[in-house]
Amino acid sequence: MNVPVACQYRIEVPASPERIPQIRRILAAHLKYWGLDAHVMPVCSAVDELVGNVVQHVEGDKTCVVEVRWAGRHLNTSVSDRDSTLPRLHTSSPAKGGLARVAMLSDSWGTCATEHGKVIWFSRRVKEPQRVMSGPQVPQPPVREFRPLPLEAVPADPFEAASLAVPAGR
């Protein structure tokens, strides 16, 4: 029986302008590996905004945790930091960036205070339910017989082997 396993990735990094492209590349690789290529640009752009907000607005410890979870229907992403000040939506223009841009790139989003700071999350619906990587499969039976190549078929001299592969006159 195959049981769906949720895909999850979590990274804790000190937020800085240099880290944003690194985080983008890491998330893009995971999303592509999970078969979610169509979500790479919007998810990475929204995470860029949220990590950029940590760089710009958080005083003191700028460590943040970026987490992505996918279970077949919804792709949930969050960025948490250690600043307890909850963000506010200052403009409804996605062109100006910030939370308005996150709202435009997602189906839903929100923020939540935590014991050690806050979490800002957003969710994207995967249009068609997709199969999530399944759990461990029944192992295949081992190869029953191993037969090495006969020694006389393998030339002892590697240059001789190369000359055999190239037709004469070339």
Side-chain angles (χ1 to χ4, degrees), residues 59-74:
E59 297 295 326
D61 185 3
K62 294 184 185 276
T63 301
C64 68
V65 175
V66 179
E67 188 169 7
V68 181
R69 293 175 183 240
W70 178 59
R73 176 73 86 176
H74 291 91

Side-chain angles (χ1 to χ4, degrees), residues 56-131:
Q56 185 177 359
H57 299 293
V58 171
E59 297 295 326
D61 185 3
K62 294 184 185 276
T63 301
C64 68
V65 175
V66 179
E67 188 169 7
V68 181
R69 293 175 183 240
W70 178 59
R73 176 73 86 176
H74 291 91
L75 180 61
N76 299 307
T77 307
S78 65
V79 175
S80 60
D81 61 56
R82 297 186 178 139
D83 183 14
S84 60
T85 307
L86 294 177
R88 294 183 322 188
L89 185 62
H90 293 288
T91 178
S92 61
S93 172
K96 293 186 179 181
L99 293 177
R101 184 176 191 93
V102 172
M104 178 193 73
L105 295 168
S106 63
D107 295 313
S108 61
W109 69 277
T111 184
C112 179
T114 65
E115 184 178 333
H116 302 287
K118 67 178 169 294
V119 175
I120 303 168
W121 59 269
F122 64 92
S123 179
R124 290 184 52 85
R125 253 187 322 274
V126 177
K127 296 292 182 198
E128 295 292 323
Q130 294 182 0
R131 183 183 164 120

Side-chain angles (χ1 to χ4, degrees), residues 5-10 26-37 40 43 67-71 74-77 126 130-133:
V5 177
C7 299
Q8 176 185 357
Y9 179 73
R10 180 181 191 270
I26 291 167
L27 292 180
H30 279 82
L31 293 172
K32 287 178 182 178
Y33 179 71
W34 296 341
L36 299 171
D37 297 43
V40 169
V43 168
E67 188 169 7
V68 181
R69 293 175 183 240
W70 178 59
H74 291 91
L75 180 61
N76 299 307
T77 307
V126 177
Q130 294 182 0
R131 183 183 164 120
V132 179
M133 291 179 227

